[in-house]
Amino acid sequence: MAECIFCKIIAGEIPGIKIYEDDLVFAFLDIGPINPGHTLVIPKEHHQSSSTIPEATAGRMFKVGSRIGVALKRALDCDAFNLHLADGSAAGQVVMHAHLHVIPRGVEDGFRWNWRQLKYQDGEAGEIAEKIIAKLKVD
Ligand code: AMP
Ligand code: ZN
């Protein structure tokens, strides 16, 4: 896609620090890392949403992301890693070429996910599950 910055990084038209490449995926350092080593794994084919990425490529992204996570732990002596993907602006997606974040984490790295835990009303969880399952059957 002509105006996509991540397509341009794959093509070598703008700089990116490559970590890994194969036939389906490309991985490079995030320019604004949560922690040093924060890496993005992207499909070589342009997809805005994770939902349109072919299964083999999506599987490769997850596998490569996990392998990079282990490499981050070994190379940077960190304790753990997060895999994160934002699909859509409301979820925090800024670059519209789907990407999996691999974020090295340390016990005392000072970063916290702003994670909340709501409560379901009686019966609400079952109703919501039924709605979701009905839509899963459409495709
Ligand atoms: P998201 O908010 O999930 O869309 O994440 C987009 C990520 O892309 C951010 O973490 C940015 O720091 C990163 N990013 C944007 N432009 C570049 C670039 N030219 N090279 C590397 N990472 C980038
Ligand atoms: Zn793209």
Side-chain angles (χ1 to χ4, degrees), residues 9-10 16-29 39-44 57 59-69 71 102:
I9 289 174
I10 294 170
I17 299 179
K18 184 166 89 174
I19 295 291
Y20 176 85
E21 180 178 11
D22 64 27
D23 54 329
L24 298 176
V25 306
F26 189 93
F28 58 105
L29 290 184
T39 298
L40 302 175
V41 184
I42 63 176
K44 282 187 158 176
T57 306
R60 185 74 62 82
M61 285 172 67
F62 189 84
K63 195 69 203 163
V64 166
S66 300
R67 280 182 56 205
I68 290 173
V102 189

Side-chain angles (χ1 to χ4, degrees), residues 88-132:
S89 301
Q93 184 177 6
V94 174
V95 177
M96 292 300 160
H97 181 131
H99 49 280
L100 182 64
H101 294 260
V102 189
I103 305 158
R105 297 301 310 278
V107 174
E108 294 179 2
D109 66 8
F111 179 73
R112 295 285 172 272
W113 296 105
N114 189 14
W115 198 284
R116 68 180 180 189
Q117 289 191 296
L118 303 175
K119 296 229 181 304
Y120 287 111
Q121 303 296 315
D122 280 352
E124 189 187 0
E127 285 171 24
I128 287 173
E130 276 178 28
K131 283 185 190 171
I132 298 167

Side-chain angles (χ1 to χ4, degrees), residues 1 4 6-7 46 97:
M1 209 196 182
C4 171
F6 286 180
C7 284
H46 181 89
H97 181 131

